[in-house]
PDB file of all heavy atoms in Angstrom:
ATOM      1  N   ASP A   3       3.605  13.163   3.887  1.00 75.00           N
ATOM      2  CA  ASP A   3       4.129  14.398   4.340  1.00 75.00           C
ATOM      3  C   ASP A   3       3.430  15.100   5.435  1.00 75.00           C
ATOM      4  O   ASP A   3       3.993  15.871   6.174  1.00 75.00           O
ATOM      5  CB  ASP A   3       4.289  15.409   3.174  1.00 75.00           C
ATOM      6  CG  ASP A   3       5.398  14.973   2.241  1.00 75.00           C
ATOM      7  OD1 ASP A   3       6.284  14.268   2.651  1.00 75.00           O
ATOM      8  OD2 ASP A   3       5.359  15.453   1.078  1.00 75.00           O
ATOM      9  N   THR A   4       2.152  14.953   5.576  1.00 64.00           N
ATOM     10  CA  THR A   4       1.420  15.745   6.556  1.00 64.00           C
ATOM     11  C   THR A   4       1.891  15.561   7.952  1.00 64.00           C
ATOM     12  O   THR A   4       2.390  16.493   8.558  1.00 64.00           O
ATOM     13  CB  THR A   4      -0.095  15.352   6.454  1.00 64.00           C
ATOM     14  OG1 THR A   4      -0.272  14.219   5.664  1.00 64.00           O
ATOM     15  CG2 THR A   4      -0.880  16.477   5.809  1.00 64.00           C
ATOM     16  N   HIS A   5       1.681  14.422   8.504  1.00 52.00           N
ATOM     17  CA  HIS A   5       2.136  14.116   9.880  1.00 52.00           C
ATOM     18  C   HIS A   5       2.671  12.657   9.821  1.00 52.00           C
ATOM     19  O   HIS A   5       1.864  11.741   9.790  1.00 52.00           O
ATOM     20  CB  HIS A   5       1.024  14.171  10.889  1.00 52.00           C
ATOM     21  CG  HIS A   5       0.316  15.509  10.915  1.00 52.00           C
ATOM     22  ND1 HIS A   5      -0.772  15.732  10.101  1.00 52.00           N
ATOM     23  CD2 HIS A   5       0.625  16.639  11.562  1.00 52.00           C
ATOM     24  CE1 HIS A   5      -1.172  17.001  10.314  1.00 52.00           C
ATOM     25  NE2 HIS A   5      -0.343  17.570  11.234  1.00 52.00           N
ATOM     26  N   THR A   6       3.956  12.520   9.778  1.00 53.00           N
ATOM     27  CA  THR A   6       4.553  11.178   9.551  1.00 53.00           C
ATOM     28  C   THR A   6       3.999  10.176  10.546  1.00 53.00           C
ATOM     29  O   THR A   6       3.677   9.043  10.153  1.00 53.00           O
ATOM     30  CB  THR A   6       6.055  11.215   9.642  1.00 53.00           C
ATOM     31  OG1 THR A   6       6.528  12.547   9.856  1.00 53.00           O
ATOM     32  CG2 THR A   6       6.686  10.720   8.346  1.00 53.00           C
ATOM     33  N   ALA A   7       3.922  10.482  11.816  1.00 61.00           N
ATOM     34  CA  ALA A   7       3.493   9.502  12.778  1.00 61.00           C
ATOM     35  C   ALA A   7       2.037   9.125  12.406  1.00 61.00           C
ATOM     36  O   ALA A   7       1.716   7.937  12.527  1.00 61.00           O
ATOM     37  CB  ALA A   7       3.549  10.073  14.200  1.00 61.00           C
ATOM     38  N   THR A   8       1.253  10.052  12.097  1.00 84.00           N
ATOM     39  CA  THR A   8      -0.163   9.782  11.704  1.00 84.00           C
ATOM     40  C   THR A   8      -0.193   8.981  10.455  1.00 84.00           C
ATOM     41  O   THR A   8      -1.024   8.041  10.298  1.00 84.00           O
ATOM     42  CB  THR A   8      -0.985  11.069  11.563  1.00 84.00           C
ATOM     43  OG1 THR A   8      -0.755  11.856  12.745  1.00 84.00           O
ATOM     44  CG2 THR A   8      -2.416  10.844  11.390  1.00 84.00           C
ATOM     45  N   ALA A   9       0.609   9.278   9.471  1.00 88.00           N
ATOM     46  CA  ALA A   9       0.606   8.494   8.214  1.00 88.00           C
ATOM     47  C   ALA A   9       1.030   7.069   8.428  1.00 88.00           C
ATOM     48  O   ALA A   9       0.434   6.138   7.910  1.00 88.00           O
ATOM     49  CB  ALA A   9       1.566   9.169   7.218  1.00 88.00           C
ATOM     50  N   THR A  10       2.043   6.865   9.306  1.00 90.00           N
ATOM     51  CA  THR A  10       2.457   5.467   9.553  1.00 90.00           C
ATOM     52  C   THR A  10       1.386   4.751  10.334  1.00 90.00           C
ATOM     53  O   THR A  10       1.161   3.556  10.144  1.00 90.00           O
ATOM     54  CB  THR A  10       3.806   5.405  10.262  1.00 90.00           C
ATOM     55  OG1 THR A  10       3.767   6.233  11.416  1.00 90.00           O
ATOM     56  CG2 THR A  10       4.925   5.879   9.336  1.00 90.00           C
ATOM     57  N   ASP A  11       0.798   5.419  11.335  1.00 92.00           N
ATOM     58  CA  ASP A  11      -0.315   4.813  12.088  1.00 92.00           C
ATOM     59  C   ASP A  11      -1.442   4.417  11.179  1.00 92.00           C
ATOM     60  O   ASP A  11      -2.109   3.361  11.286  1.00 92.00           O
ATOM     61  CB  ASP A  11      -0.815   5.714  13.240  1.00 92.00           C
ATOM     62  CG  ASP A  11       0.214   5.881  14.283  1.00 92.00           C
ATOM     63  OD1 ASP A  11       1.140   5.025  14.407  1.00 92.00           O
ATOM     64  OD2 ASP A  11       0.107   6.819  15.093  1.00 92.00           O
ATOM     65  N   THR A  12      -1.775   5.342  10.271  1.00 92.00           N
ATOM     66  CA  THR A  12      -2.860   5.068   9.317  1.00 92.00           C
ATOM     67  C   THR A  12      -2.546   3.860   8.407  1.00 92.00           C
ATOM     68  O   THR A  12      -3.401   2.973   8.269  1.00 92.00           O
ATOM     69  CB  THR A  12      -3.105   6.303   8.412  1.00 92.00           C
ATOM     70  OG1 THR A  12      -3.402   7.437   9.282  1.00 92.00           O
ATOM     71  CG2 THR A  12      -4.275   6.096   7.412  1.00 92.00           C
ATOM     72  N   ALA A  13      -1.307   3.832   7.903  1.00 94.00           N
ATOM     73  CA  ALA A  13      -0.898   2.721   7.077  1.00 94.00           C
ATOM     74  C   ALA A  13      -1.018   1.374   7.858  1.00 94.00           C
ATOM     75  O   ALA A  13      -1.544   0.427   7.400  1.00 94.00           O
ATOM     76  CB  ALA A  13       0.535   2.928   6.635  1.00 94.00           C
ATOM     77  N   ARG A  14      -0.508   1.407   9.062  1.00 95.00           N
ATOM     78  CA  ARG A  14      -0.559   0.256   9.942  1.00 95.00           C
ATOM     79  C   ARG A  14      -1.975  -0.251  10.147  1.00 95.00           C
ATOM     80  O   ARG A  14      -2.286  -1.450  10.049  1.00 95.00           O
ATOM     81  CB  ARG A  14       0.107   0.555  11.267  1.00 95.00           C
ATOM     82  CG  ARG A  14       0.511  -0.658  12.083  1.00 95.00           C
ATOM     83  CD  ARG A  14       1.278  -0.265  13.348  1.00 95.00           C
ATOM     84  NE  ARG A  14       2.641   0.127  13.117  1.00 95.00           N
ATOM     85  CZ  ARG A  14       3.115   1.405  13.258  1.00 95.00           C
ATOM     86  NH1 ARG A  14       2.367   2.340  13.727  1.00 95.00           N
ATOM     87  NH2 ARG A  14       4.383   1.661  12.992  1.00 95.00           N
ATOM     88  N   THR A  15      -2.930   0.680  10.442  1.00 96.00           N
ATOM     89  CA  THR A  15      -4.312   0.392  10.647  1.00 96.00           C
ATOM     90  C   THR A  15      -4.983  -0.210   9.433  1.00 96.00           C
ATOM     91  O   THR A  15      -5.667  -1.209   9.501  1.00 96.00           O
ATOM     92  CB  THR A  15      -5.057   1.635  11.186  1.00 96.00           C
ATOM     93  OG1 THR A  15      -4.466   2.075  12.361  1.00 96.00           O
ATOM     94  CG2 THR A  15      -6.527   1.300  11.434  1.00 96.00           C
ATOM     95  N   ILE A  16      -4.726   0.428   8.299  1.00 96.00           N
ATOM     96  CA  ILE A  16      -5.320  -0.048   7.037  1.00 96.00           C
ATOM     97  C   ILE A  16      -4.830  -1.467   6.685  1.00 96.00           C
ATOM     98  O   ILE A  16      -5.647  -2.290   6.387  1.00 96.00           O
ATOM     99  CB  ILE A  16      -4.993   0.909   5.852  1.00 96.00           C
ATOM    100  CG1 ILE A  16      -5.775   2.255   6.008  1.00 96.00           C
ATOM    101  CG2 ILE A  16      -5.264   0.266   4.502  1.00 96.00           C
ATOM    102  CD1 ILE A  16      -5.423   3.288   5.070  1.00 96.00           C
ATOM    103  N   LEU A  17      -3.531  -1.690   6.850  1.00 97.00           N
ATOM    104  CA  LEU A  17      -3.002  -3.025   6.521  1.00 97.00           C
ATOM    105  C   LEU A  17      -3.395  -4.067   7.544  1.00 97.00           C
ATOM    106  O   LEU A  17      -3.486  -5.230   7.231  1.00 97.00           O
ATOM    107  CB  LEU A  17      -1.516  -2.934   6.353  1.00 97.00           C
ATOM    108  CG  LEU A  17      -1.065  -2.067   5.183  1.00 97.00           C
ATOM    109  CD1 LEU A  17       0.430  -1.898   5.123  1.00 97.00           C
ATOM    110  CD2 LEU A  17      -1.537  -2.717   3.846  1.00 97.00           C
ATOM    111  N   LYS A  18      -3.619  -3.641   8.795  1.00 96.00           N
ATOM    112  CA  LYS A  18      -4.139  -4.625   9.809  1.00 96.00           C
ATOM    113  C   LYS A  18      -5.472  -5.150   9.451  1.00 96.00           C
ATOM    114  O   LYS A  18      -5.809  -6.227   9.584  1.00 96.00           O
ATOM    115  CB  LYS A  18      -4.083  -3.932  11.145  1.00 96.00           C
ATOM    116  CG  LYS A  18      -4.498  -4.872  12.310  1.00 96.00           C
ATOM    117  CD  LYS A  18      -4.492  -4.191  13.595  1.00 96.00           C
ATOM    118  CE  LYS A  18      -4.911  -5.085  14.728  1.00 96.00           C
ATOM    119  NZ  LYS A  18      -5.114  -4.376  15.954  1.00 96.00           N
ATOM    120  N   GLU A  19      -6.268  -4.195   8.915  1.00 96.00           N
ATOM    121  CA  GLU A  19      -7.694  -4.586   8.532  1.00 96.00           C
ATOM    122  C   GLU A  19      -7.701  -5.405   7.242  1.00 96.00           C
ATOM    123  O   GLU A  19      -8.533  -6.304   7.079  1.00 96.00           O
ATOM    124  CB  GLU A  19      -8.511  -3.268   8.262  1.00 96.00           C
ATOM    125  CG  GLU A  19      -8.693  -2.448   9.458  1.00 96.00           C
ATOM    126  CD  GLU A  19      -9.611  -3.122  10.510  1.00 96.00           C
ATOM    127  OE1 GLU A  19     -10.597  -3.749  10.148  1.00 96.00           O
ATOM    128  OE2 GLU A  19      -9.322  -2.967  11.688  1.00 96.00           O
ATOM    129  N   ASN A  20      -6.773  -5.138   6.342  1.00 96.00           N
ATOM    130  CA  ASN A  20      -6.727  -5.912   5.059  1.00 96.00           C
ATOM    131  C   ASN A  20      -5.270  -5.985   4.569  1.00 96.00           C
ATOM    132  O   ASN A  20      -4.780  -4.996   3.939  1.00 96.00           O
ATOM    133  CB  ASN A  20      -7.591  -5.225   3.994  1.00 96.00           C
ATOM    134  CG  ASN A  20      -7.653  -5.984   2.700  1.00 96.00           C
ATOM    135  OD1 ASN A  20      -6.888  -6.914   2.509  1.00 96.00           O
ATOM    136  ND2 ASN A  20      -8.594  -5.625   1.853  1.00 96.00           N
ATOM    137  N   ALA A  21      -4.585  -7.033   4.827  1.00 95.00           N
ATOM    138  CA  ALA A  21      -3.146  -7.164   4.485  1.00 95.00           C
ATOM    139  C   ALA A  21      -2.915  -7.283   3.005  1.00 95.00           C
ATOM    140  O   ALA A  21      -1.792  -7.161   2.540  1.00 95.00           O
ATOM    141  CB  ALA A  21      -2.587  -8.354   5.198  1.00 95.00           C
ATOM    142  N   ALA A  22      -3.975  -7.528   2.227  1.00 94.00           N
ATOM    143  CA  ALA A  22      -3.820  -7.690   0.736  1.00 94.00           C
ATOM    144  C   ALA A  22      -3.676  -6.331   0.060  1.00 94.00           C
ATOM    145  O   ALA A  22      -3.309  -6.235  -1.085  1.00 94.00           O
ATOM    146  CB  ALA A  22      -5.003  -8.486   0.188  1.00 94.00           C
ATOM    147  N   ILE A  23      -4.048  -5.270   0.737  1.00 97.00           N
ATOM    148  CA  ILE A  23      -3.995  -3.949   0.148  1.00 97.00           C
ATOM    149  C   ILE A  23      -2.543  -3.585  -0.152  1.00 97.00           C
ATOM    150  O   ILE A  23      -1.691  -3.862   0.675  1.00 97.00           O
ATOM    151  CB  ILE A  23      -4.617  -2.849   1.056  1.00 97.00           C
ATOM    152  CG1 ILE A  23      -6.170  -2.975   1.061  1.00 97.00           C
ATOM    153  CG2 ILE A  23      -4.220  -1.437   0.610  1.00 97.00           C
ATOM    154  CD1 ILE A  23      -6.909  -2.079   1.962  1.00 97.00           C
ATOM    155  N   GLN A  24      -2.266  -3.067  -1.336  1.00 97.00           N
ATOM    156  CA  GLN A  24      -0.969  -2.605  -1.658  1.00 97.00           C
ATOM    157  C   GLN A  24      -0.881  -1.072  -1.331  1.00 97.00           C
ATOM    158  O   GLN A  24      -1.734  -0.317  -1.789  1.00 97.00           O
ATOM    159  CB  GLN A  24      -0.721  -2.769  -3.168  1.00 97.00           C
ATOM    160  CG  GLN A  24      -0.905  -4.193  -3.656  1.00 97.00           C
ATOM    161  CD  GLN A  24       0.085  -5.153  -3.056  1.00 97.00           C
ATOM    162  OE1 GLN A  24       1.282  -5.048  -3.261  1.00 97.00           O
ATOM    163  NE2 GLN A  24      -0.378  -6.067  -2.180  1.00 97.00           N
ATOM    164  N   LEU A  25      -0.009  -0.714  -0.503  1.00 97.00           N
ATOM    165  CA  LEU A  25       0.057   0.683  -0.004  1.00 97.00           C
ATOM    166  C   LEU A  25       1.223   1.422  -0.614  1.00 97.00           C
ATOM    167  O   LEU A  25       2.385   0.960  -0.577  1.00 97.00           O
ATOM    168  CB  LEU A  25       0.201   0.664   1.541  1.00 97.00           C
ATOM    169  CG  LEU A  25      -0.066   1.989   2.157  1.00 97.00           C
ATOM    170  CD1 LEU A  25      -1.445   2.006   2.751  1.00 97.00           C
ATOM    171  CD2 LEU A  25       0.950   2.365   3.169  1.00 97.00           C
ATOM    172  N   VAL A  26       0.978   2.598  -1.155  1.00 97.00           N
ATOM    173  CA  VAL A  26       2.002   3.434  -1.763  1.00 97.00           C
ATOM    174  C   VAL A  26       1.999   4.767  -1.007  1.00 97.00           C
ATOM    175  O   VAL A  26       0.990   5.439  -0.780  1.00 97.00           O
ATOM    176  CB  VAL A  26       1.693   3.747  -3.270  1.00 97.00           C
ATOM    177  CG1 VAL A  26       2.725   4.694  -3.829  1.00 97.00           C
ATOM    178  CG2 VAL A  26       1.563   2.455  -4.050  1.00 97.00           C
TER     179      VAL A  26
END
């Protein structure tokens, strides 16, 4: 909810570093 663009960028970055992480 905070900043959607930032949340999606954050998710993308986290998963790029470790694709095995399950993101909710």
Side-chain angles (χ1 to χ4, degrees):
D3 287 338
T4 14
H5 304 90
T6 359
T8 309
T10 55
D11 290 342
T12 302
R14 198 176 285 112
T15 302
I16 288 171
L17 293 173
K18 182 179 177 189
E19 296 291 320
N20 183 348
I23 288 176
Q24 305 296 294
L25 193 104
V26 178

